[in-house]
Amino acid sequence: MLTLVEQEKEQQLLLKLCEKTPFGCKIASIAAAYGFDRGFSCFWLDDRSDAVFCLTDDLMIISGTVLDGEETAEFLKAVGPKTIFCAVRNAETLSLPVTDSGDVLKKQLEAGEKTTLDPYEVDIREIYELLEKTGMVEEFEPFYLDLSHKLRHQTALALTEHDQETLTGCAVVSAISQNAAILSALAVLPEFRRQGIGSRLVRRTESFFPGKTLYVFREKEKNREFYRELGYGKTDTWVYSQWK
């Protein structure tokens, strides 16, 4: 049975379950940044499994393993997400059409001293412009509002590299939970590629999360060898599905 998360006990259970998967890291980060107020996001638990659901901005994120595909499909129809993001096993259980998919990469980082950064040291508009040039972002306002909010609540991280006054590369971690983080965007201007900027940004990113797991949702056929050489291995397959 799916239960809407409202009580403190349910919230703590959700956060505990979320530490098991990269999808859960995204859900836990949303809860940490925005809270459990149903005005922005809604959260559900399945009392028969470790499945966790988060609906935000018409996107349903599923963590854990869905056991009852028929009941869960009825639940999804009732709440009406436009898009579903989950592991391939859940997409298969729910018979979801695959709009896009790719590898979930994972690296367990060594323990050590944590690097710190003032979140206001980065220019979000500058980062957006670089990501837009490389086709990695769409509308400015949602990106700016979400990233600035998460930076203030320490559930995101943004790093940049410059050549004099030119922003040459950036890395954005869009989700941070107690034991994990997700590197969601890594971009380098075309004319500055193959100079080690991307690798340097990844290593800098890792220095902020000693002892944690760092995940990457890699796009299909992109940067396979780049991440392999940096020590990232496949742990799952992600699926985006346009829900009808």
Side-chain angles (χ1 to χ4, degrees):
M1 179 178 178
L2 292 165
T3 303
L4 182 66
V5 174
E6 297 180 291
Q7 303 300 319
E8 175 70 21
K9 183 178 180 180
E10 296 166 340
Q11 295 172 9
Q12 293 305 314
L13 176 58
L14 178 143
L15 294 174
K16 180 180 179 180
L17 292 173
C18 281
E19 293 298 338
K20 295 182 177 182
T21 76
F23 305 92
C25 178
K26 290 180 73 69
I27 293 173
S29 183
I30 293 169
Y34 293 99
F36 286 91
D37 181 0
R38 284 183 286 169
F40 179 82
S41 299
C42 292
F43 304 85
W44 293 267
L45 293 169
D46 188 335
D47 60 9
R48 295 161 302 179
S49 71
D50 62 353
V52 176
F53 302 80
C54 172
L55 178 63
T56 181
D57 291 336
D58 295 320
L59 169 67
M60 179 67 79
I61 305 169
I62 304 175
S63 175
T65 301
V66 173
L67 298 181
D68 190 330
E70 184 176 345
E71 180 184 86
T72 304
E74 289 301 316
F75 160 73
L76 292 172
K77 290 178 182 178
V79 298
K82 292 183 179 178
T83 309
I84 299 173
F85 183 56
C86 63
V88 64
R89 64 182 180 278
N90 290 328
E92 291 171 349
T93 298
L94 294 166
S95 300
L96 298 177
V98 178
T99 304
D100 199 4
S101 67
D103 292 341
V104 182
L105 306 181
K106 170 184 176 180
K107 183 176 181 180
Q108 181 62 48
L109 304 179
E110 295 182 2
E113 186 175 351
K114 180 181 177 180
T115 302
T116 59
L117 176 73
D118 183 344
Y120 297 100
E121 288 183 8
V122 296
D123 184 335
I124 298 177
R125 184 178 295 274
E126 186 180 45
I127 291 172
Y128 173 83
E129 291 174 353
L130 174 55
L131 294 177
E132 185 181 38
K133 288 178 182 177
T134 53
M136 300 179 67
V137 71
E138 296 181 0
E139 297 181 24
F140 171 72
E141 186 173 358
F143 173 84
Y144 180 88
L145 292 175
D146 184 58
L147 183 55
S148 60
H149 181 85
K150 287 182 176 179
L151 288 173
R152 290 195 303 272
H153 288 79
Q154 300 182 334
T155 57
L157 172 72
L159 302 175
T160 56
E161 289 264 339
H162 289 80
D163 180 19
Q164 297 181 0
E165 298 300 317
T166 302
L167 176 64
T168 59
C170 69
V172 177
V173 172
S174 64
I176 301 171
S177 66
Q178 183 176 351
N179 298 318
I182 297 171
L183 175 60
S184 58
L186 179 69
V188 178
L189 283 176
E191 59 267 35
F192 288 93
R193 290 173 184 168
R194 301 189 181 280
Q195 298 180 28
I197 294 173
S199 298
R200 190 159 58 246
L201 281 165
V202 173
R203 294 191 182 97
R204 283 181 60 199
T205 299
E206 293 174 353
S207 72
F208 286 83
F209 306 105
K212 292 192 177 187
T213 301
L214 189 59
Y215 294 106
V216 177
F217 291 100
R218 188 179 66 81
E219 293 184 62
K220 191 179 296 183
E221 307 304 330
K222 289 188 177 181
N223 303 317
R224 185 191 303 273
E225 292 303 312
F226 172 80
Y227 283 109
R228 184 186 64 79
E229 291 176 1
L230 288 170
Y232 289 79
K234 181 177 178 178
T235 187
D236 209 335
T237 299
W238 60 264
V239 169
Y240 264 115
S241 175
Q242 294 296 324
W243 180 254
K244 296 182 180 180

